[in-house]
Amino acid sequence: VKVTTVVTGPFQENSYLVQDDTTGDAALVDPGADAPGLIDAIRRSGATLRAIWLTHAHVDHIGAIAEVQRVWDAPVHLHAADLPLYRNGAAQAAHFGLTFDQPRDPDVLLEDNLTLLLGQLRFVVLHSPGHSPGHVVIHGEGVAFVGDCLFSGSVGRTDLPLSNAAELRQSLSRITALPATTRVLPGHGPATTIGKELQTNPFLVDRATAEYR
Ligand SMILES: [Zn+2]
Ligand SMILES: [Zn+2]
């Protein structure tokens, strides 16, 4: 699987272009901002955009959808529990003094264990609430798009209006049960692996000790 990272906007959000090199099909994960940069990256890839996958609907992950869809009318995939955030993109943006281009409602609603096919690639949805109620991790082909659940050396915020710390802890237990070699691609900051985070992430080391004791 080929994954290209594009860092977007004032929140330095990671948008990922996932590509099946054999068929030329691509999906765009979390087009947060900088639509022209994303459109350029997709054009340069030579791939055909088939889908937009959202880990969650915070404004820094959805701000470029409308503009990208004017070039490729790709279906947006989102968990239903994040629809209120998605439909409130303008209000979220105004909070930070930013403008927002509201896209139409999502085309596909994600659920736990749903399979997403992209060319010959296969991914699975893991509902991972906590940072937001409809947060999902999309994993397969040795990679996991973990959004704002898990970062290199940190975990997602739970002090936001719809966040829930207990739910995030449960979600992290499920995420860290993925194979240790899984390449973790977070919504912000550098990539890492499940194994490295279990050994070094201060928010997870207690869990690792409990498992390996
Ligand atoms: Zn977020
Ligand atoms: Zn974010």
Side-chain angles (χ1 to χ4, degrees):
V1 57
K2 184 178 176 191
V3 181
T4 307
T5 308
V6 181
V7 182
T8 73
F11 300 97
Q12 298 281 286
E13 187 264 349
N14 292 328
S15 183
Y16 297 103
L17 183 66
V18 196
Q19 246 174 289
D20 179 356
D21 267 341
T22 57
T23 64
D25 296 307
L28 188 59
V29 180
D30 291 354
D34 187 22
L38 291 170
I39 290 165
D40 188 52
I42 297 164
R43 287 211 170 108
R44 273 187 285 114
S45 76
T48 306
L49 188 65
R50 300 290 187 196
I52 295 171
W53 295 342
L54 302 179
T55 61
H56 66 301
H58 282 149
V59 68
D60 54 322
H61 295 249
I62 63 172
I65 294 171
E67 202 172 331
V68 169
Q69 278 187 321
R70 284 195 279 273
V71 181
W72 295 277
D73 192 14
V76 168
H77 295 55
L78 176 71
H79 192 284
D82 261 23
L83 273 175
L85 284 168
Y86 188 88
R87 291 171 175 158
N88 259 321
Q92 290 191 63
H95 185 74
F96 300 103
L98 303 169
T99 56
F100 185 73
D101 195 354
Q102 179 67 48
R104 66 165 189 265
D105 263 6
D107 305 274
V108 180
L109 295 180
L110 297 177
E111 286 174 30
D112 196 49
N113 257 321
L114 188 76
T115 297
L116 297 173
L117 299 175
L118 180 69
Q120 297 174 353
L121 308 178
R122 185 174 173 277
F123 296 88
V124 178
V125 174
L126 193 164
H127 183 209
S128 53
H131 175 71
S132 74
H135 198 295
V136 299
V137 166
I138 296 170
H139 66 93
E141 310 294 338
V143 303
F145 301 98
V146 299
D148 289 359
C149 276
L150 176 62
F151 303 109
S152 175
S154 186
V155 298
R157 290 175 61 173
T158 53
D159 59 333
L160 303 165
L162 299 176
S163 298
N164 182 309
E167 283 184 350
L168 181 65
R169 274 195 298 278
Q170 284 185 5
S171 294
L172 287 167
S173 296
R174 294 185 67 201
I175 295 164
T176 53
L178 292 171
T181 53
T182 304
R183 195 149 61 100
V184 170
L185 300 171
H188 306 267
T192 180
T193 64
I194 295 289
K196 184 183 173 207
E197 291 315 302
L198 276 174
Q199 284 173 358
T200 61
N201 188 316
F203 297 90
L204 300 177
V205 282
D206 287 348
R207 201 187 310 270
T209 312
E211 278 177 13
Y212 298 140
R213 188 172 283 147

